[in-house]
Amino acid sequence: MKKKVFWALFTLCLSILTIFSLFYSGDLSVPELLQKVKEASPEWLIPAAICTLGFIFFEGLSLVLILRTLGYPAKKRRGFLYSSADIYFSSITPSATGGQPASAFFMRKDGVSGAAITVSLILNLTMYTLAIITLGLFSIIFFPGIFLDFALPCKIMILIGVAMMSLLTAFFILLLKKQAILLKICNVIVSIIERLNFKKAAERFRRGIDSTLEKYRECVETLGDKKAIFVKTYLLNILQRASQILVTVFCYYAMHGNIPNGLKIFAIQTYVVIGSNFIPIPGAVGISEFLMYFGYESLIGGEASCSLAILSRGISFYTCSAISIFTVILGFILLRQKKNKKENL
């Protein structure tokens, strides 16, 4: 909990410094930003807000479909909670390391086995990464010039992002197909626990490895027999990533941008997502904003780039995080009420 509080405060401070830096660049002042927001077209801000909800909803729906395929009667509203937990804790922890454990916590409370949780999260994460790569290929094929317009440091970050995502995708696929790799990882964890002198905990963990891996293998085989689930989760993750990117497109339109530039904005934002995705900073705060600034500067100018970066991140990241933490808190409250009700029976 102390670590979560620390990273939440760190993310807040970094966000404030980032916004201050954008203003300090001299391209935009606070009154000018407020005036631009005031003049923004609400008919475009509404779909931007809907896309933010879509970013949460589509991930939750993907997890629900996987769990249902594995035989668990998961509900869509619970999927929204799983996704909210993942998104919020990913946004306040380095390299999004807190997202999956938080999502797994609520799944476990709903009676999902550890093996099913692991398979569900790995499969969804695989499709999530493939979705980003797919959108990146779209941008490279149709808008290669946009990539070339980025500054050299930005190009390097984007290329590192592509390489890291490709490696992670291959690793996740191996985890699903080769359980021996997962066994080796578990043995390494046991070894580390033993070296820390937690021998009883290490022994309990070792005893549970074989049965858990057997259940894991059964879950993978169940999914393997139903190929349609791979296509469905892939398409849902495409929709999730597209929803997040479209927030920026609609914010650009809200600020009276040219309609024909919409696809270029989509491509630039895709590069931004790729370049910032593996930076070990909570929520890629600071990195995303400056990639956006340099990406949009040549297309719409420095002042407009600052405004677009602040407005779209305000909706796609900060508003999304606020919705997610509200959902998580509500989920905790309902769990506590359910526990108290059982104790009183």
Side-chain angles (χ1 to χ4, degrees):
M1 182 57 68
K2 288 181 180 179
K3 287 182 180 179
K4 294 293 190 298
V5 172
F6 168 78
W7 285 114
L9 292 174
F10 176 81
T11 304
L12 176 62
C13 293
L14 193 58
S15 301
I16 293 171
L17 287 172
T18 299
I19 294 171
F20 174 78
S21 298
L22 286 171
F23 285 120
Y24 189 73
S25 67
D27 289 322
L28 185 68
S29 66
V30 174
E32 287 172 336
L33 174 65
L34 294 176
Q35 183 62 30
K36 286 181 177 296
V37 172
K38 185 178 179 181
E39 293 173 353
S41 303
E43 62 267 24
W44 289 113
L45 291 178
I46 292 172
I50 292 173
C51 282
T52 299
L53 290 173
F55 179 65
I56 304 173
F57 173 77
F58 288 122
E59 179 183 349
L61 184 56
S62 176
L63 289 170
V64 165
L65 288 181
I66 297 170
L67 291 174
R68 286 180 179 177
T69 304
L70 293 174
Y72 293 92
K75 297 179 180 179
K76 291 180 182 179
R77 64 174 180 271
R78 300 302 291 176
F80 195 88
L81 174 60
Y82 304 153
S83 177
S84 295
D86 180 15
I87 290 169
Y88 176 72
F89 286 100
S90 291
S91 71
I92 64 168
T93 51
S95 299
T97 51
Q100 267 74 40
S103 184
F105 170 82
F106 286 106
M107 290 186 191
R108 199 75 185 93
K109 291 295 182 181
D110 287 343
V112 182
S113 70
I117 291 172
T118 304
V119 171
S120 300
L121 292 175
I122 290 176
L123 175 57
N124 194 64
L125 196 55
T126 302
M127 296 306 174
Y128 177 88
T129 310
L130 280 174
I132 301 176
I133 293 174
T134 301
L135 295 175
L137 288 173
F138 164 84
S139 299
I140 291 170
I141 292 170
F142 293 101
F143 300 98
I146 288 177
F147 172 75
L148 298 175
D149 287 338
F150 275 96
L152 181 60
C154 299
K155 291 177 185 176
I156 292 172
M157 283 191 283
I158 293 169
L159 291 174
I160 291 174
V162 171
M164 291 297 294
M165 281 187 288
S166 299
L167 289 173
L168 275 179
T169 301
F171 177 68
F172 293 145
I173 292 172
L174 283 174
L175 284 182
L176 290 171
K177 289 190 172 183
K178 305 289 185 180
Q179 283 79 51
I181 296 176
L182 198 56
L183 177 61
K184 290 180 180 179
I185 294 173
C186 291
N187 288 332
V188 170
I189 294 172
V190 170
S191 177
I192 293 172
I193 295 173
E194 286 178 337
R195 289 179 183 178
L196 294 173
N197 293 322
F198 296 110
K199 294 184 178 180
K200 291 184 178 179
E203 185 59 32
R204 285 198 301 270
F205 190 84
R206 182 181 284 108
R207 285 197 300 266
I209 288 176
D210 291 337
S211 61
T212 300
L213 285 179
E214 178 60 26
K215 292 177 181 177
Y216 178 89
R217 184 186 62 78
E218 291 174 359
C219 290
V220 172
E221 288 180 354
T222 299
L223 293 176
D225 292 336
K226 299 179 180 179
K227 306 295 184 183
I229 189 63
F230 296 99
V231 177
K232 290 178 181 178
T233 53
Y234 170 71
L235 292 176
L236 285 171
N237 275 278
I238 288 282
L239 289 173
Q240 187 206 11
R241 298 309 306 182
S243 294
Q244 185 186 41
I245 294 169
L246 282 171
V247 171
T248 304
V249 177
F250 288 129
C251 285
Y252 169 73
Y253 287 156
M255 297 173 66
H256 311 290
N258 294 324
I259 298 295
N261 283 338
L263 283 176
K264 290 182 179 179
I265 296 293
F266 189 94
I268 293 172
Q269 191 59 29
T270 301
Y271 286 126
V272 170
V273 170
I274 293 172
S276 62
N277 207 50
F278 286 94
I279 303 297
I281 295 175
V285 172
I287 303 299
S288 289
E289 285 82 355
F290 284 104
L291 279 171
M292 291 175 72
Y293 175 80
F294 288 113
Y296 294 119
E297 187 179 24
S298 60
L299 183 65
I300 60 177
E303 180 182 321
S305 294
C306 289
S307 302
L308 182 59
I310 294 172
L311 180 60
S312 64
R313 281 285 281 176
I315 296 175
S316 66
F317 179 72
Y318 297 104
T319 300
C320 184
S321 295
I323 294 170
S324 297
I325 188 56
F326 174 79
T327 305
V328 170
I329 291 172
L330 183 61
F332 271 117
I333 293 172
L334 293 175
L335 276 177
R336 182 60 61 88
Q337 289 178 345
K338 186 177 179 180
K339 181 180 178 181
N340 292 338
K341 189 176 180 179
K342 285 184 178 179
E343 289 175 352
N344 292 331
L345 290 176

